[in-house]
Amino acid sequence: MKLNIPRHYAYLALISVVLLIFVLVFSFTALIPMGKEYRLKKNILKNEVAKLKKYQNFHDETLATLKDLQTKNRHIIEAFDKPFDPQRFVKKHKLYFSQLSVTKINKDKDTKGFATYKVDTTSQINSPTNFYDFLDSVNKSDWIIEINFPIDFQREGELIKSSFTMKVYANNKESNSTASASPAK
């Protein structure tokens, strides 16, 4: 018994069998192992996306807090960036005293980055209330100033002389520019 199959059907069947064998070999050698690797990488990516969301939320909360603090403390930030002018300080606060002098003291190791000034005042008053008004005025000034205690009051007749030191906190742009320009150790 002889099968009578046309030649083009035989070629078509042979090509189909070869393609089926190629697809099976390709599936078992390439696709299935890559599928396992794909699932592993998908799980790793899922974990990384979760971490990214966590850090993004933290970043957003921190940024919101920063912006809120910047708006609430705008006056302090601006005062920190303003350079201190001793002549302007004397001119602004001279009305509290009959004599006011400000002299800069050389930088100490303890006051790195901050300027220290010695302030000598003379007032023609019976009580130090003008001095306390001066302290209130300093708190509302354009600079961030720390008055160091003790404050030395000496009475000479109708005059009260006072002497104290103060630190002026300001962003020292010169030291920042040199620090950023110097190579890291």
Side-chain angles (χ1 to χ4, degrees), residues 14-68:
L14 182 63
I15 290 175
S16 297
V17 170
V18 169
L19 284 176
L20 179 65
I21 291 171
F22 175 74
V23 167
L24 290 174
V25 169
F26 179 73
S27 297
F28 287 111
T29 58
L31 291 180
I32 293 173
M34 285 187 180
K36 290 178 184 177
E37 187 179 326
Y38 168 76
R39 277 184 253 121
L40 290 174
K41 287 184 178 181
K42 182 180 173 185
N43 288 337
I44 291 171
L45 179 64
K46 190 177 176 183
N47 290 338
E48 293 296 323
V49 166
K51 285 182 187 177
L52 177 65
K53 280 186 180 181
K54 177 181 160 187
Y55 289 128
Q56 188 66 40
N57 289 339
F58 177 73
H59 172 267
D60 293 341
E61 290 171 7
T62 306
L63 183 64
T65 304
L66 173 68
K67 295 295 181 186
D68 184 44

Side-chain angles (χ1 to χ4, degrees), residues 22 25 45 59 72 88 103 114 130 132 181 184:
F22 175 74
V25 169
L45 179 64
H59 172 267
K72 286 181 181 176
R88 185 168 170 240
T103 55
F114 307 112
N130 277 358
Y132 296 120

Side-chain angles (χ1 to χ4, degrees), residues 101-119:
S101 66
V102 178
T103 55
K104 186 170 185 173
I105 300 174
N106 290 336
K107 286 188 176 183
D108 298 328
K109 291 181 181 178
D110 296 336
T111 60
K112 183 178 180 184
F114 307 112
T116 305
Y117 293 88
K118 182 175 186 201
V119 180

Side-chain angles (χ1 to χ4, degrees), residues 69-82:
L69 288 173
Q70 282 178 334
T71 56
K72 286 181 181 176
N73 300 313
R74 182 178 44 86
H75 177 70
I76 295 170
I77 293 169
E78 289 173 359
F80 189 67
D81 284 337
K82 280 192 179 175

